[in-house]
Amino acid sequence: MTHVSVAGSALEVPGELVRISVGIEEEADLIADLEQALAKL
């Protein structure tokens, strides 16, 4: 199931939700990536 398949239902993902999916990475790399992404908003 994806978020698209529940559009229009009670399970729909809110548009203001930010989903962060991370793997096994260095903490500093994750922080740098988030800072870079948020700076573009």
Side-chain angles (χ1 to χ4, degrees):
M1 179 189 316
T2 69
H3 65 281
V4 175
S5 65
V6 295
S9 76
L11 299 175
E12 183 174 13
V13 177
E16 66 274 5
L17 179 76
V18 176
R19 179 175 181 243
I20 300 174
S21 178
V22 298
I24 300 173
E25 300 180 45
E26 293 292 325
E27 178 181 340
D29 290 340
L30 294 173
I31 292 170
D33 289 345
L34 286 171
E35 288 174 340
Q36 181 183 17
L38 293 173
K40 294 181 180 183
L41 296 178

